[in-house]
Amino acid sequence: MRQRADKPGHAPEERLVELEAEGHRLAGILHMPESAGHPCPVVVYCPGKNGERYEVHRLAVKFARRLAEQGIACLRFDYYGLGLSDGWFHEMTTSTKIRDTLAALRFVRETEGVDPGRIAFLGFSDGARIALMSAVRTGISRLLLWSPLFSEFGGNFPGGRKPRFFRHPLYPDAMVKPWAGLWVGMDFYRDLQQIDIGKELLACEADSLLIYGTDDPLIEEEFAYMETTRYPIYSGTARHRVSPVEGAGHLFTSVRLEEKLMDESFRWLAASFGLPAGTGKEGTI
């Protein structure tokens, strides 16, 4: 357990936690704000395809600590097959990640000091698909999306070209293909074939904020491939806000860009959770 006291009167707590998902152990960190005498809202973080609880340039850590300093709890965790959790990466699928996210949701709902009526999912990159589909299955009404990639173009076999698989060098019963220094299992792609992401997008009734970078070729491909104008989540309305960040790439890899991402995200969450105006890192909301 780690205590922080960056500001007078604010001592957020960081707890190592262990979640359980169908008999598997998942490792997590729960950020809890200083007790205000009433239950606090909470954000459940859904990392990207090979993301872990800390995320690139520790973005999830920075944002979770900022939330806790401002009265919002946050749970960061490793999916099955990633980080410190049980399993191997080639065993991971979209369905196992949704299972794990629902286990994380049960955990925060049962956590003392958390308001089970004020919960948001935050999905980054591929994690946006997990957050969206988890919201559809649970009725969670707040969805924050960073650089969302709802489609897996390799999984859709564009042009009818299927990827070539090999037997895993250590687990010969598993058919895998290399990706980003990891082995992705055939089951990952089989699972994707069962998902109608358009149907999932239309079924989502959560209020949302979608933030993406204007210099992100993955988002450009997503927009072109998916015909995003069909889906409310891209509509840019009061319920479904869309915020492009000028000059940002997929990972918001500069201090200025990540500050803009976190500031806008915090303001939207605070308003959605009905929190009183307070002082964020860059000013007053």
Side-chain angles (χ1 to χ4, degrees), residues 267-280:
R267 287 194 295 269
W268 181 81
L269 285 168
S272 180
F273 287 141
L275 297 181
T279 301

Side-chain angles (χ1 to χ4, degrees), residues 117-185:
R118 290 190 294 170
I119 298 175
F121 285 137
L122 164 55
F124 189 10
S125 188
D126 172 89
R129 179 170 69 250
I130 311 305
L132 174 94
M133 293 178 67
S134 297
V136 169
R137 283 148 184 75
T138 61
I140 289 298
S141 60
R142 301 170 183 88
L143 200 54
L144 176 57
L145 306 168
W146 292 348
S147 301
L149 298 180
F150 294 112
S151 293
E152 171 78 29
F153 300 112
N156 292 320
F157 302 153
R161 294 172 297 177
K162 297 185 178 182
R164 184 179 178 186
F165 291 93
F166 308 85
R167 292 196 181 275
H168 193 291
L170 298 179
Y171 303 95
D173 290 340
M175 300 299 293
V176 297
K177 68 183 292 285
W179 177 82
L182 296 164
W183 293 110
V184 182

